Amino acid sequence: MNIIDHAILLVSCIFEIYICKKFVTSFYQKRKRNSILEELSFDFIGVVLLYILNLFGIANLTLALSPIILMAYIKIISEINFVHVLMSFFVVFTALFGGELIFVVLANITSTNSGLNLSEMPWMTFYSKLISYVILIFIIQISGKSQRKIDNRIFSMYLLIPISSIGMMLNAFFIAQDKLAEFTVKFSLSFSFLLMLLGNIIVFEAFLKYGEQLQKNLEQAWVISRENMNRDYYLKIKQLNEKHQTLMHDLKQYVRTTCLLINKGNDPEALSILENLSSKITKNEIKVYSNNPQLDALISDKANFAEEKEISFTVNVEPVVKFDNIEMSDYIIMVGNLLDNALQATEKCTNEKEVILNLFVSENRQFLVCKISNTFNPAFLKMKNGTLISTKKEKGVHGLGIKSVAETASANNGYFLSKTEDNSFISILALPI
């Protein structure tokens, strides 16, 4: 073996360790290490063992021991059981063997030289490794359990790079067939193919990092939007209570002024003041629906909105409903989000517009249930696999309310579900009491 062969063998061993690590970290959690140096030391040991094993040049020995080395490496870097280790090795082996098989088939189909000896062209190892890499990332991408994958549209665009690289590498090899004996040609092909392989890996990792950063940005935007919605609800309730307190304070002055006008015989002006007072009371009225003032203020605000939009708004609250063990700050936000969604969906209806809110205790007395049903326009709302899908154009923003409710319910050991029934959309929120 000359220096080029040794270099190619070393790169091949590094590649095999790399794709083992890539597959495992795409599906499982890595074992925690004290430092990056400790983690790299296991990578180094794995590469050295594979390299030494291949130096012996005994095919049967390599075939027997290399799986043991790779499975041991998978077990060391991850916290998975033996069955998952076997499954991981099988996938990695499939990618490696598949890459070599496809390469051999392509080489023999496209070659005009019947005496072509592939063993005399070690640099073509990079070609088969690139094919193996494409197979592996394709498996990771299509798997529903993968923790690290990119958007399918971005992935399809990325595939143009390795596909074109595979074609160019194959063409470059056959163009230079007559000069394969020259050292400069061997070195040039080996170095070029190595750069092509590394370039494809680096570009994919860049795509992956970009996709992960986009996801993080979206999650941060969602958190900010959720906090803004929470703040808005608190401000609304605070404003309603402040208006109510102001009205109660002004009520004394209204009554005193009205009495003075009646005593002076100025009945028309007294009547005008009473009508003005009645209008203010109606406008700022907080109806009593439950035994919780915050919830009453919220429902009253939504009832006023429904009246403005000519939406039938019905509220049914069982007298036995209590909120003693409920985190009211979370509950107000969840019910508010659901009512907002219901009213907005109903507003788009062309025929019947109705929203019904039911608050009751479950039959086993273990859950406080909030059930909201509303009419909706199918043109603006769809269900897919039990999930609410909006047809609005502002993708990524709409639906934050529903997502917030589901996550908050889960955090409070409750549950949330939604479904369509006839011409109604139904949301059910249940929290333990």
Side-chain angles (χ1 to χ4, degrees):
M1 293 178 67
N2 57 37
I3 188 170
I4 295 179
D5 295 327
H6 280 285
I8 291 173
L9 177 59
L10 179 61
V11 172
S12 298
C13 295
I14 294 173
F15 177 80
E16 290 179 10
I17 291 296
Y18 165 74
I19 65 169
C20 280
K21 190 171 188 176
K22 181 167 185 61
F23 179 81
V24 171
T25 55
S26 295
F27 290 89
Y28 309 105
Q29 292 293 326
K30 288 196 300 183
R31 193 183 297 273
K32 293 182 180 180
R33 300 296 177 188
N34 295 327
S35 64
I36 186 67
L37 186 61
E38 183 182 356
E39 183 177 333
L40 290 175
S41 65
F42 288 106
D43 299 341
F44 177 76
I45 293 172
V47 171
V48 170
L49 290 175
L50 287 176
Y51 180 74
I52 294 173
L53 178 63
N54 281 275
L55 282 179
F56 287 110
I58 305 174
N60 291 335
L61 182 65
T62 303
L63 188 62
L65 294 182
S66 58
I68 297 175
I69 295 174
L70 292 177
M71 285 191 288
Y73 173 76
I74 291 171
K75 181 61 180 175
I76 290 172
I77 67 170
S78 63
E79 298 180 348
I80 58 178
N81 57 38
F82 184 69
V83 174
H84 286 163
V85 169
L86 284 175
M87 292 172 59
S88 299
F89 171 75
F90 176 76
V91 175
V92 171
F93 176 79
T94 300
L96 290 171
F97 179 76
E100 293 182 4
L101 179 63
I102 293 174
F103 160 65
V104 171
V105 171
L106 288 175
N108 282 285
I109 289 176
T110 56
S111 176
T112 56
N113 183 2
S114 58
L116 193 63
N117 188 353
L118 298 178
S119 63
E120 296 177 358
M121 301 171 290
W123 58 86
M124 289 302 289
T125 300
F126 297 141
Y127 185 80
S128 66
K129 298 304 182 189
L130 178 56
I131 297 175
S132 297
Y133 181 73
V134 174
I135 293 173
L136 185 75
I137 61 174
F138 187 78
I139 292 172
I140 294 173
Q141 184 67 24
I142 64 175
S143 173
K145 295 184 178 180
S146 173
Q147 300 173 3
R148 298 193 68 202
K149 57 183 179 180
I150 59 180
D151 180 79
N152 288 332
R153 185 173 55 181
I154 297 177
F155 181 73
S156 62
M157 290 188 289
Y158 162 76
L159 282 179
L160 295 174
I161 300 174
I163 290 174
S164 60
S165 298
I166 290 170
M168 286 188 292
M169 290 168 77
L170 191 64
N171 290 327
F173 161 70
F174 287 116
I175 290 173
Q177 271 192 75
D178 297 334
K179 299 181 178 181
L180 292 180
E182 299 180 14
F183 177 81
T184 54
V185 174
K186 288 183 178 180
F187 178 80
S188 177
L189 282 174
S190 300
F191 187 69
S192 299
F193 281 22
L194 173 61
L195 290 181
M196 195 80 79
L197 174 62
L198 292 177
N200 276 271
I201 293 175
I202 291 170
V203 169
F204 179 77
E205 291 298 327
F207 271 97
L208 186 61
K209 291 290 184 183
Y210 174 72
E212 289 176 344
Q213 187 59 48
L214 283 180
Q215 182 63 28
K216 287 181 180 178
N217 292 341
L218 182 61
E219 290 175 356
Q220 290 173 355
W222 178 78
V223 170
I224 293 172
S225 298
R226 185 178 65 177
E227 292 303 319
N228 287 337
M229 286 190 295
N230 295 349
R231 183 191 61 192
D232 290 343
Y233 276 120
Y234 281 123
L235 287 176
K236 280 184 180 180
I237 293 172
K238 184 179 178 182
Q239 289 171 0
L240 282 171
N241 287 326
E242 287 176 351
K243 285 182 179 180
H244 192 257
Q245 291 172 4
T246 301
L247 182 61
M248 293 299 102
H249 177 268
D250 293 344
L251 184 60
K252 295 179 181 179
Q253 188 62 36
Y254 274 106
V255 172
R256 188 179 297 110
T257 303
T258 302
C259 290
L260 289 173
L261 290 172
I262 291 174
N263 289 334
K264 291 180 179 180
N266 195 347
D267 294 345
E269 191 170 346
L271 182 60
S272 175
I273 290 176
L274 288 174
E275 289 175 348
N276 185 32
L277 176 61
S278 176
S279 175
K280 283 191 174 185
I281 291 175
T282 302
K283 186 177 180 180
N284 296 282
E285 180 182 19
I286 297 180
K287 295 181 180 178
V288 177
Y289 297 98
S290 67
N291 59 5
N292 186 277
Q294 288 180 306
L295 184 60
D296 290 342
L298 174 68
I299 297 176
S300 296
D301 179 53
K302 304 308 175 187
N304 291 335
F305 176 84
E307 186 177 357
E308 291 175 7
K309 301 298 181 179
E310 298 181 346
I311 298 173
S312 173
F313 188 75
T314 305
V315 179
N316 301 310
V317 181
E318 280 189 351
V320 294
V321 167
K322 293 183 179 180
F323 305 91
D324 297 338
N325 298 321
I326 300 294
E327 181 60 50
M328 285 310 298
S329 58
D330 287 343
Y331 195 71
I332 291 295
I333 292 166
M334 288 188 285
V335 175
N337 280 327
L338 294 178
L339 286 174
D340 279 345
N341 285 337
L343 289 167
Q344 289 171 12
T346 305
E347 190 180 354
K348 295 179 177 65
C349 291
T350 55
N351 299 320
E352 184 182 7
K353 297 183 179 182
E354 183 180 37
V355 175
I356 301 175
L357 167 64
N358 291 295
L359 286 175
F360 57 93
V361 177
S362 62
E363 292 182 2
N364 58 12
R365 301 294 174 182
Q366 294 182 357
F367 289 90
L368 172 61
V369 182
C370 172
K371 179 180 178 182
I372 300 174
S373 62
N374 62 274
T375 53
F376 70 98
N377 188 338
F380 294 93
L381 190 66
K382 293 182 180 179
M383 294 292 289
K384 184 178 180 180
N385 298 326
T387 303
L388 177 65
I389 304 296
S390 172
T391 56
K392 283 189 174 183
K393 293 182 180 180
E394 50 269 26
K395 302 291 184 183
V397 178
H398 182 77
L400 290 176
I402 291 292
K403 186 175 181 181
S404 174
V405 171
E407 291 194 353
T408 307
S410 179
N412 285 275
N413 300 316
Y415 67 89
F416 169 77
L417 62 89
S418 56
K419 62 180 180 178
T420 55
E421 195 172 280
D422 297 329
N423 295 323
S424 295
F425 181 81
I426 299 174
S427 300
I428 299 176
L429 170 66
L431 296 180
I433 53 177

